[in-house]
Amino acid sequence: MTKQSRSRLSDQVAEKIRQLIQEKHLQPGDRIPSERQLAEQLEVSRVPIREALRSLCSEGLLVTRRGGGTYVQDSDLMNWPAQSIAPLEELLHEDPLYRYDVLEARRALEASTAWHAAHRATEADKKRIEHCFQVMVRHQQNQDADLSARADAQFHLAIAMASHNVVLLQLMNGLFQLVFSTVKENRRAMFEFDNAREVEILTEQHEGVMKAILNGDADRARELIGHHLDHVQAKVRLSEENKAREQRIFRFSNPLSPP
């Protein structure tokens, strides 16, 4: 392996360790898994693990104590995605229609993450994507809207992780809370009129994207993720139109009601 390849691998490992810290909600002072455990979990040798940990320590995210393991430090690096996305969350709260901008941004990002994931996903990546899909289906069957929405967002983030593109992954990580809030609202709007059928359609769409990635069919994965997000946008717009129509009918039948 060339020096450049090793550097690229250690960067990818560092990003996965950041993701691990976020997923497990590790706080300053918490100990991260050992080098051996990380190597087994990420399916790499301990060399890129050491390089990644060294890099994260130099950034101030981690600190290594001699003979005592590696710990999370109190660092703004843990919070920068949420900080950078906070103004957009405020816009969404004030005007939910901004979610269409989020969908457009997701379409641009996820066309790339799905395509790269189909080319680069490791066996561990594929298992993670399958696991996220199964969790999402289980929550949908239990009709748990909040957990279904979070599992939906995690499924898309697992694909971003499998792209092995550090920049794309960081962007998706930064969007996570925003994506979760819009996924939740989108699902509410989509399921308002035909819940059972829409759940079935979304499941089929997610499964199609997953299978394309597992089969290494990059063009198909990119095509299907685009169709999926186009479908979401169309259904959300339809829901908004139906709601507006109902409000107009209500005002017509109740002329004294406030506008």
Side-chain angles (χ1 to χ4, degrees), residues 32 76 146 171 196 211 232:
I32 69 169
D76 288 340
D146 286 352
L171 288 171
K211 287 182 176 179
V232 171

Side-chain angles (χ1 to χ4, degrees), residues 190-207:
M190 293 169 71
F191 297 162
E192 188 170 0
F193 296 99
D194 191 1
N195 180 68
R197 178 55 185 153
E198 198 54 50
V199 168
E200 183 181 346
I201 290 172
L202 284 185
T203 301
E204 291 172 354
Q205 290 176 347
H206 283 118
E207 187 173 16

Side-chain angles (χ1 to χ4, degrees), residues 209-246:
V209 173
M210 178 182 69
K211 287 182 176 179
I213 292 172
L214 298 183
N215 293 333
D217 191 339
D219 291 336
R220 181 67 172 159
R222 179 168 55 191
E223 176 187 10
L224 290 177
I225 198 73
H227 287 168
H228 165 60
L229 292 174
D230 285 346
H231 172 79
V232 171
Q233 182 165 324
K235 293 294 291 188
V236 171
R237 285 194 185 279
L238 178 62
S239 175
E240 292 289 344
E241 291 170 4
N242 287 337
K243 186 181 299 183
R245 187 176 298 108
E246 289 178 351

Side-chain angles (χ1 to χ4, degrees), residues 3-167:
K3 183 177 181 180
Q4 183 177 5
S5 298
R6 286 198 301 272
S7 176
R8 178 180 173 82
L9 178 58
S10 65
D11 287 343
Q12 293 170 354
V13 169
E15 190 52 47
K16 289 185 177 183
I17 294 174
R18 287 192 188 95
Q19 177 75 8
L20 178 69
I21 292 170
Q22 292 175 354
E23 287 179 349
K24 292 185 176 297
H25 305 292
L26 298 183
Q27 301 300 312
D30 289 344
R31 183 174 180 174
I32 69 169
S34 66
E35 284 185 11
R36 179 182 59 78
Q37 291 170 323
L38 288 170
E40 291 175 356
Q41 184 171 343
L42 302 181
E43 297 184 339
V44 296
S45 72
R46 294 175 70 167
V47 173
I49 295 291
R50 292 193 192 100
E51 292 176 354
L53 293 177
R54 194 178 302 119
S55 174
L56 294 173
C57 285
S58 67
E59 292 177 7
L61 179 59
L62 300 177
V63 60
T64 298
R65 300 173 186 169
R66 187 178 297 277
T70 302
Y71 297 80
V72 177
Q73 284 206 97
D74 190 2
S75 169
D76 288 340
L77 287 171
M78 288 182 64
N79 302 318
W80 79 260
Q83 292 168 347
S84 63
I85 217 69
L88 295 178
E89 286 190 275
E90 187 174 339
L91 280 178
L92 275 169
H93 179 72
E94 294 173 355
D95 185 355
L97 292 181
Y98 274 107
R99 65 172 174 262
Y100 294 117
D101 288 351
V102 177
L103 280 168
E104 287 182 3
R106 283 184 60 192
R107 200 185 195 291
L109 282 173
E110 296 192 54
S112 294
T113 58
W115 190 87
H116 287 301
H119 280 297
R120 299 171 178 171
T122 65
E123 288 305 312
D125 292 326
K126 293 177 181 179
K127 289 178 183 177
R128 185 181 302 110
I129 292 170
E130 288 183 288
H131 173 72
C132 289
F133 173 77
Q134 291 163 1
V135 170
M136 179 176 58
V137 170
R138 184 168 68 250
H139 290 319
Q140 286 174 171
Q141 291 172 341
N142 294 335
Q143 298 183 346
D144 190 317
D146 286 352
L147 290 180
S148 293
R150 183 164 292 278
D152 189 329
Q154 289 284 11
F155 173 80
H156 288 270
L157 280 174
I159 293 173
M161 183 179 292
S163 74
H164 293 271
N165 182 300
V166 174
V167 175

